[in-house]
Amino acid sequence: MSSATTAAGLALDTPLEFVPGIGPRQAGLFSARGLAQIEDLLSYLPFRYEDRSRISQIAALEAGESVTIQAQVRSFQLLRTRGGMQMARLRAGDGTGELECIWYHAGWLRDRFQAGQWVALYGKPELEGRQWRLQHPEFQILRPGPLPAGPDSLKLGRIVPIYNSLGEISSGKLRLAIARALRALPAELPEILPAGLCERLRLPPRRAAFEQVHFPAPGMPLEQLQAARTPGHLRLILEELFFLQTGLEIKRQRAQRQPGIAILPSAEIRERLRQLLPFRPTPDQKQAMREIAADLGRGRPMRRLLQGDVGSGKTIVALEAAVMAIGNGYQAALMAPTQILAEQHYYYARRLLPGYRVALITSAARRARSEPEPELAIGTQALLEDHARISRLALVIVDEQHRFGVLQRLQLMRQGNLAPHLLVMTATPIPRTLALAFYGDLDTSLIRQRPPGRLPIRTRIVPRGREPEMYAFLRRQLARGRQAYVVCPVIEESEKLDLVPALEMERQLRAQFPEFRVGLLHGRLANEEKSAVMQSFQRGELNLLVTTTVIEVGVDVPNATLMIIHQAERFGIAQLHQLRGRIGRPQPPAAGASRAFCFLVPGEEITPAAEQRLLAVEGSEDGFELAEMDLKLRGPGEIFGTRQSGLPEFAIAQPGRDQDLLELAHAEARTWWRHAGREEQRRLLGIVRARWQRRYGLVEVG
Ligand code: ADP
Ligand code: MG
């Protein structure tokens, strides 16, 4: 039962309908928008503030400076314009001068004002001839006497919070409801952050923080408010991040205590690994391999994220881990998000690990029951279903993690009682901040350098009308024996209609380049057809490959050094970067290109935001830099497709804006949990559980 019903009065977890002034009807509207309890409402912060605290006399007005004026109504009229629109005109004076206020579509103001009343008006004065005028001012009718301060005047004579309206709940209604909720709460709210943390970081108590962010005291610098950097903001943001990070830390520690499978290197395994590496690993690859080997030998399940830009060479690192597991008599599984990527991994592994039993397990290619169990199983999600039949599974490798989502990862880790080691690989470089926020329960290894021999990629946006030049360039490149991709966006590969641009492009290119061989690859081809097309491109039998995003990840044809991306504005930054990662692969000595080329061809209509994305991709080849830009431009939800990817959502924090606080919360959560006493840990665990349950719908934190 909620503490709402106790004699002690209202608390943060009280349902909104119990707040005086907020009835069941309004509470219903709020809760339909996800705001059920007082705390939810108070966590709905203004998206900007307006300083209406400057009060001016009419004689001292200046054009263009928004101010609050207190004046007495001289006259008020509702007029009809020639077009039939209702317009209201109010004249008022304050002893130093007079002004006029105008409202259009003003039927709602009928009978609102009477001569003799005192009103407060807020707006931006304009000079009309010699007459001051306010258009559509905010107003409040005053009782005689000075302008009231405090919650009586929520919108004038103070710094006023402006909220994004929630459906039919306007900013003004939100302001009022929040003021009522604050008024109904006791003067002190129990502290939930660890003792001492607030003093150390100079953060105000909860109640003061809520007051400050919603109804800041006069004189609070506006920039600080807008940037969400008042002490009150800092406290609320940090509080939210702290409990998320504590939850992740608890999970990490629990996982570490779970018994796992010790995988130890032997002289024989070392020798095999030496033989299997076709090249010398980069220092970053070596470092990642060392970290992984240390994890595997610890007798506890590894939980590691392997981050590295497109083409940085993660696969070999993962395969090395697999060889170690196999060498210890266990099995490994590698899960990829798409059929084509699973196949790529499969062929790569077959080539690199001759003599090993490698199996491909997808919904198309299931393993027959009679077959011996593979040493390394590679596949799509179908692997999850089959995975019970991999009886000595010691290592799970997940590629392209962001496509699976956090929740699926948790599910994977829960399977089986052997507690396999987990290695998550992500090619979409996740900014450090986001990695902390969403993978805070994983340790990370990072590959920053690229393997030697990778070609720099020159990326150009093709201006309208310059396509002929691009095709002439393409022809010269093809004549020199290079290969090229032509990418057409296909949103829904299952929709036939959507394939038309790709089919059309193929036809057009065949006509335009009769001397070359053009192939077509898309998601609706049968798997054997896909593999056949891919293989003939790989063997150099095709010069040009028209494709959809099926080639986004994993395809590896070093001789392909040119890519044309049509309607490039329809792709996100990360996707474009991944796509072009297909060219510029390390060159076989025979090909000897010195540079790869990527052309972004915008479609007809392109928004400023889309243009910014293209410019970003044109301007940088650094996946991490691009990911940071993407985060700033779009926010994390869109990058990962929030809901279905199972990302936690924030009420207050914004990962893009609050990177510094996220790191602080991460560090604080880690040290605190390690040093806290049992009592204190138990208290916090309760809070963390409740919060995770409410915010992220996750019950299992430890
Ligand atoms: P990604 O990190 O995108 O998964 P891959 O593992 O597919 O990258 O590697 C990209 C290419 O680079 C592959 O052809 C791989 O064989 C090659 N490669 C990886 N590491 C090295 C290295 N140290 N030296 C040379 N080539 C390498
Ligand atoms: Mg890869």
Side-chain angles (χ1 to χ4, degrees):
M1 183 145 268
S2 158
S3 43
T5 48
T6 69
L10 304 196
L12 282 172
D13 64 353
T14 305
L16 284 174
E17 59 180 297
F18 295 114
V19 175
I22 302 181
R25 201 192 84 86
Q26 203 183 21
L29 292 178
F30 277 122
S31 101
R33 297 274 164 174
L35 310 183
Q37 307 178 348
I38 292 184
E39 182 170 358
D40 303 330
L41 179 62
L42 295 185
S43 301
Y44 191 77
L45 301 198
F47 78 102
R48 67 182 182 89
Y49 298 84
E50 248 176 52
D51 188 353
R52 301 180 186 168
S53 58
R54 225 165 63 87
I55 296 177
S56 174
Q57 295 192 317
I58 295 176
L61 286 181
E62 280 171 49
E65 288 258 352
S66 293
V67 286
T68 302
I69 296 147
Q70 301 174 72
Q72 197 171 26
V73 177
R74 304 267 189 263
S75 67
F76 178 71
Q77 288 168 287
L78 263 187
L79 313 164
R80 212 169 261 285
T81 63
R82 237 181 282 151
M85 189 213 317
Q86 284 201 309
M87 186 184 114
R89 187 164 60 206
L90 176 135
R91 287 184 211 282
D94 68 352
T96 73
E98 285 205 8
L99 54 60
E100 180 182 79
C101 302
I102 300 283
W103 290 268
Y104 301 102
H105 298 289
W108 61 283
L109 285 176
R110 181 183 308 283
D111 301 330
R112 204 48 91 84
F113 299 101
Q114 279 140 31
Q117 257 174 350
W118 279 87
V119 289
L121 300 158
Y122 172 80
K124 202 179 272 189
E126 303 158 10
L127 210 47
E128 276 283 316
R130 305 189 52 197
Q131 164 93 61
W132 285 108
R133 176 187 276 182
L134 298 177
Q135 289 202 41
H136 281 256
E138 292 276 346
F139 66 88
Q140 185 176 348
I141 294 162
L142 301 176
R143 286 168 294 209
L147 190 62
D152 268 354
S153 170
L154 294 177
K155 60 177 188 182
L156 292 177
R158 64 181 313 150
I159 298 175
V160 176
I162 314 286
Y163 302 88
N164 278 317
S165 57
L166 273 177
E168 61 179 281
I169 313 170
S170 66
S171 175
K173 285 195 184 126
L174 275 156
R175 199 182 292 138
L176 190 60
I178 288 167
R180 286 178 166 148
L182 275 171
R183 221 176 303 167
L185 285 174
E188 273 189 47
L189 298 171
E191 184 53 74
I192 55 171
L193 283 171
L197 184 73
C198 289
E199 285 110 79
R200 196 153 44 75
L201 301 177
R202 305 228 172 109
L203 302 172
R206 295 184 95 191
R207 183 175 170 112
F210 281 128
E211 274 165 14
Q212 188 167 53
V213 299
H214 290 291
F215 298 105
M220 173 62 75
L222 214 56
E223 312 80 67
Q224 209 175 333
L225 282 163
Q226 310 285 30
R229 282 300 175 272
T230 68
H233 281 97
L234 294 179
R235 185 213 144 108
L236 296 178
I237 295 167
L238 200 79
E239 181 186 304
E240 178 168 44
L241 296 175
F242 180 84
F243 287 110
L244 171 67
Q245 292 301 320
T246 305
L248 288 169
E249 176 64 14
I250 294 170
K251 269 154 41 77
R252 217 175 58 87
Q253 298 223 348
R254 296 261 156 112
Q256 279 183 359
R257 280 203 298 273
Q258 244 179 306
I261 305 155
I263 292 175
L264 299 164
S266 62
E268 192 199 331
I269 294 174
R270 285 214 188 85
E271 182 47 36
R272 273 208 194 176
L273 288 175
R274 231 191 318 279
Q275 287 171 1
L276 115 204
L277 276 183
F279 35 63
R280 188 176 304 178
T282 63
D284 279 357
Q285 282 173 320
K286 270 196 200 148
Q287 172 69 18
M289 288 169 181
R290 266 198 300 274
E291 287 166 352
I292 291 168
D295 283 358
L296 293 177
R298 224 167 252 141
R300 295 195 209 95
M302 166 172 76
R303 298 283 174 261
R304 188 167 285 277
L305 177 71
L306 179 58
Q307 255 187 292
D309 202 350
V310 189
S312 61
K314 297 180 291 295
T315 320
I316 193 77
V317 175
L319 289 184
E320 217 188 272
V323 167
M324 287 189 59
I326 297 166
N328 278 255
Y330 294 100
Q331 296 161 289
L334 195 170
M335 189 163 89
T338 64
Q339 167 92 21
I340 201 153
L341 180 54
E343 280 174 21
Q344 282 295 323
H345 280 315
Y346 174 69
Y347 295 125
Y348 191 75
R350 285 267 301 264
R351 203 168 72 222
L352 228 63
L353 310 178
Y356 283 78
R357 274 201 316 280
V358 183
L360 178 66
I361 299 178
T362 63
S363 48
R366 289 181 184 278
R367 197 161 53 88
R369 286 225 164 245
S370 53
E371 279 173 54
E373 292 197 4
E375 290 165 308
L376 172 60
I378 297 179
T380 55
Q381 263 167 300
L383 210 52
L384 275 183
E385 300 148 27
D386 234 46
H387 134 195
R389 288 174 54 208
I390 306 172
S391 47
R392 288 180 62 77
L393 182 65
L395 171 66
V396 175
I397 303 160
V398 184
D399 197 6
E400 305 296 338
Q401 159 72 11
H402 67 284
R403 297 208 181 179
F404 290 111
V406 175
L407 294 181
Q408 265 164 311
R409 167 160 57 80
L410 294 179
Q411 180 191 337
L412 196 76
M413 283 154 65
R414 237 181 275 136
Q415 291 200 359
N417 37 12
L418 259 175
H421 298 283
L422 178 74
L423 180 65
V424 168
M425 299 194 281
T426 175
T428 298
I430 301 163
R432 191 184 135 62
T433 325
L434 272 188
L436 276 184
F438 305 128
Y439 304 95
D441 61 332
L442 303 183
D443 297 305
T444 30
S445 294
L446 187 63
I447 305 183
R448 276 215 88 134
Q449 308 139 334
R450 299 185 182 185
R454 286 192 62 88
L455 304 180
I457 301 172
R458 173 169 290 170
T459 302
R460 285 289 171 269
I461 302 172
V462 179
R464 203 176 302 278
R466 303 283 290 276
E467 288 182 39
E469 283 163 65
M470 174 184 78
Y471 283 119
F473 182 81
L474 171 64
R475 173 165 275 127
R476 288 198 296 277
Q477 291 287 312
L478 294 180
R480 276 191 209 154
R482 309 255 190 281
Q483 290 165 280
Y485 298 101
V486 178
V487 182
C488 299
V490 167
I491 305 308
E492 190 56 67
E493 299 249 356
S494 58
E495 295 289 325
K496 259 206 187 106
L497 246 187
D498 243 12
L499 281 175
V500 169
L503 300 173
E504 180 58 27
M505 182 59 60
E506 184 208 11
R507 208 181 48 76
Q508 193 185 316
L509 289 174
R510 273 187 211 276
Q512 199 175 343
F513 295 96
E515 71 272 42
F516 297 115
R517 281 171 311 255
V518 181
L520 176 65
L521 181 71
H522 60 74
R524 279 181 60 97
L525 293 179
N527 287 323
E528 309 87 74
E529 289 177 278
K530 263 189 238 165
S531 309
V533 173
M534 213 43 236
Q535 276 166 23
S536 53
F537 188 62
Q538 211 140 18
R539 283 195 296 263
E541 295 157 10
L542 295 172
N543 308 87
L544 258 177
L545 187 63
V546 178
T547 82
T548 63
T549 43
V550 291
I551 59 144
E552 185 185 345
V553 280
V555 174
D556 201 5
V557 181
N559 191 44
T561 54
L562 198 135
M563 177 176 283
I564 295 172
I565 305 178
H566 285 282
Q567 297 187 47
E569 77 282 0
R570 290 172 70 176
F571 297 102
I573 288 183
Q575 218 178 2
L576 287 171
H577 182 62
Q578 290 238 354
L579 276 169
R580 75 177 163 182
R582 299 304 109 209
I583 55 177
R585 302 252 128 183
Q587 292 294 293
S594 63
R595 193 180 272 301
F597 298 91
C598 176
F599 295 103
L600 308 176
V601 185
E604 289 297 308
E605 301 213 340
I606 166 165
T607 63
E611 186 170 6
Q612 260 190 310
R613 290 203 299 274
L614 298 189
L615 284 170
V617 175
E618 188 184 50
S620 173
E621 236 198 285
D622 181 335
F624 282 81
E625 197 179 290
L626 286 171
E628 297 278 357
M629 264 189 249
D630 210 8
L631 183 61
K632 293 226 167 72
L633 286 176
R634 295 196 300 160
E638 280 196 62
I639 293 179
F640 292 87
T642 318
R643 276 271 172 209
Q644 72 266 40
S645 70
L647 280 180
E649 289 185 40
F650 295 103
I652 298 175
Q654 294 175 13
R657 179 192 69 194
D658 300 330
Q659 313 212 358
D660 47 344
L661 295 175
L662 196 39
E663 300 203 12
L664 180 64
H666 178 71
E668 289 289 342
R670 270 202 167 189
T671 34
W672 176 80
W673 186 254
R674 281 189 194 147
H675 297 107
R678 289 221 151 245
E679 235 350 87
E680 177 81 342
Q681 281 196 344
R682 199 163 313 136
R683 184 179 77 85
L684 259 279
L685 190 58
I687 298 172
V688 170
R689 278 214 179 102
R691 295 207 145 207
W692 276 59
Q693 168 76 64
R694 271 180 63 75
R695 286 279 162 77
Y696 319 123
L698 282 180
V699 199
E700 287 158 62
V701 184

